[in-house]
Amino acid sequence: MGADSYGSDGRWHPGTYLSPGTSSFTDFLAAAAPDLLPQAAGPAGPGSSDGAAPGSLARDLPHGTTIVAAACDGGVVMAGDRRATAGNMIMQRDIDKVFRSDEFSAIGVAGVAGIGIELVRLFQVELEHYEKLEGHALSLDGKANRLAGLVRGNIGGAMQGLVVVPLFCGYDEDTGRGRIFSYDVAGGRYEEHRFYAIGSGSVFARGSLKKLYQDSMPVEDTVLARRLYPVVAAVTADGFERLTDEAAGEYARTVVEGRMADPDGPPAPLRAAVTPNGSRGALPSR
């Protein structure tokens, strides 16, 4: 296909999209118009006329930062802060980094913001295209695998510093629970359990979650909020639902007021220790 897919009027020939093929929109686009794929664009290489070193452009581009996800009773919650940074500067304070990928899943992205948003859009179309052709949605594992392929397709850009790493979560209709998937830059897919975080603030986010997270928490208790009023979404058997800014702000105010009253934060619940004889007792004090 390629250039031969277009007519003199700039439109695709009917045969381009009526020919049999796979149910993957990405495969179709790669054959019909590869220049439209996100990975087709990238910074100049070492031998380019502008003399830019590989990765030098990436440092000046807006980057998305922290995304967190946590399984809850009947589903999963995902949240992301609203900042985009370039080096040590805050470039934008109200960026969206958590998106609906389809009715029962959500995706958040950390890394180069522009490429990340393009990847999300392509993933959204990929899932919709599959459902229209096959008459049913992909399984959650299938969605996670398709996303891995899209991440792998950006490996050339990642090697030049244009790194994008997604966090994917959804409600598994087969098992009736929420699941979380992380990725590396080469498209490696890993299922995470209970909670996970990506981005520059992920170390601190995982530390907070490790302290306060409990299994089978209700959605209301699992919502993660900061004073910047993050984007918060829940995916359950009822589908994808994004909290309004007012609702996210209410959670944030509750957290801030709690910190003002107790600067050390809420105590982490400790489970009873198991003694050598098998009985349960209080954890020993130091």
Side-chain angles (χ1 to χ4, degrees):
M1 294 185 188
D4 296 334
S5 303
Y6 297 96
S8 58
D9 58 356
R11 296 176 180 270
W12 277 337
H13 294 301
T16 303
Y17 48 83
L18 294 179
S19 302
T22 71
S23 55
S24 169
F25 180 76
T26 308
D27 291 347
F28 165 76
L29 203 59
D35 55 302
L36 298 181
L37 290 170
Q39 62 266 26
S48 63
S49 58
D50 63 4
S56 61
L57 174 62
R59 289 191 293 270
D60 299 325
L61 295 175
H63 283 65
T65 51
T66 311
I67 306 292
V68 296
C72 61
D73 184 22
V76 63
V77 170
M78 175 177 281
D81 69 2
R82 303 297 295 266
R83 290 182 176 181
T85 61
N88 60 350
M89 300 292 291
I90 297 175
M91 299 294 293
Q92 190 171 347
R93 296 180 181 273
D94 60 351
I95 190 173
D96 284 357
K97 292 177 286 186
V98 174
F99 304 90
R100 174 189 185 275
S101 43
D102 73 352
E103 184 64 22
F104 294 105
S105 64
I107 179 175
V109 288
V112 179
I115 294 181
I117 292 172
E118 286 291 307
L119 182 143
V120 168
R121 290 172 177 166
L122 182 59
F123 184 52
Q124 291 169 331
V125 176
E126 177 82 4
L127 298 185
E128 184 178 356
H129 183 78
Y130 179 92
E131 187 169 353
K132 286 181 176 179
L133 288 186
E134 300 295 333
H136 60 85
L138 270 168
S139 66
L140 192 63
D141 279 306
K143 297 171 190 176
N145 289 337
R146 288 291 176 98
L147 182 55
L150 297 184
V151 176
R152 191 177 304 114
N154 186 52
I155 188 66
M159 294 298 100
Q160 298 181 64
L162 300 177
V163 176
V164 174
V165 179
L167 186 61
F168 177 65
C169 69
Y171 174 77
D172 192 330
E173 296 178 88
D174 295 329
T175 62
R177 63 185 180 91
R179 299 171 65 189
I180 303 168
F181 299 90
S182 67
Y183 299 82
D184 60 32
V185 295
R189 189 206 82 166
Y190 313 95
E191 182 165 4
E192 308 296 344
H193 301 283
R194 305 180 78 211
F195 57 83
Y196 199 70
I198 60 172
S200 59
S202 60
V203 174
F204 309 104
R206 283 200 293 266
S208 296
L209 285 165
K210 184 176 181 179
K211 176 182 177 183
L212 299 173
Y213 181 84
Q214 298 180 35
D215 293 323
S216 301
M217 295 172 69
V219 171
E220 293 78 9
D221 291 345
T222 313
V223 169
L224 310 170
R226 294 174 58 189
R227 192 176 181 85
L228 294 175
Y229 297 175
V231 176
V232 182
V235 187
T236 66
D238 295 326
F240 176 97
E241 180 182 4
R242 173 174 166 170
L243 269 65
T244 64
D245 288 342
E246 291 76 13
E250 189 61 35
Y251 282 111
R253 283 189 290 272
T254 300
V255 171
V256 172
E257 290 169 1
R259 287 287 180 169
M260 292 294 290
D262 184 1
D264 293 330
L270 298 177
R271 299 182 180 181
V274 178
T275 60
N277 62 9
S279 62
R280 293 184 177 272
L283 288 174
S285 58
R286 294 183 178 178

